[in-house]
Amino acid sequence: MKTILTNKHISIETRKRALRCYIEPVLMYGCEAWTISKQIQNKLEATEMWFLRRMLRIPWTAKKTYERVLKKANKRRSLVRTIRKRQATFLGHVMRRGKLEHLVTKGKFEGKRSRGRQREKIMDGLATWLGPGKVSDTLAADKDRDLWRDMIANAYKKGT
């Protein structure tokens, strides 16, 4: 794909479509089950910028900021937002199903907590994406599919 993505004779819009169709699905395979920490989010954003720099043939030694590269490509950062949207959609599916996955996702199973710092849960990531205080609303809205879709669409539009 390098020859197609870096070809100057192909328009940037076509190259961005090729990136979105052929590269991003491979990169995001299984992203519904990821827990995205700040470190992983930074790496995903750096990967997205690396793709754009390669497509525009802008070397790392050129002192161009990410904003200038995004403006030149006429694009917004969308990889992390797309991953969050897919996670929220999958989480709604799991919550509506109401079986073992539902209990595991909510963290309501018997036993003692392990020692040390607790692992980040999917619900924690969803809470940071939807905003503070939204987890209780989220758990109440998971049965209503239309309300769930509206919540996801609003969070995606905000770009958080």
Side-chain angles (χ1 to χ4, degrees), residues 18 49 68:
M49 293 308 300
R68 286 179 61 191

Side-chain angles (χ1 to χ4, degrees), residues 32-51:
E32 292 87 358
W34 296 351
T35 52
I36 298 180
S37 63
K38 190 67 177 169
Q39 181 182 12
I40 292 173
Q41 181 175 341
N42 290 341
K43 287 182 180 182
L44 287 169
E45 289 174 352
T47 303
E48 185 177 18
M49 293 308 300
W50 183 78
F51 286 139

Side-chain angles (χ1 to χ4, degrees), residues 25 74 101 104 106 149:
N74 196 19
E101 299 93 353
V104 170
K106 278 190 171 180
R149 285 182 185 150

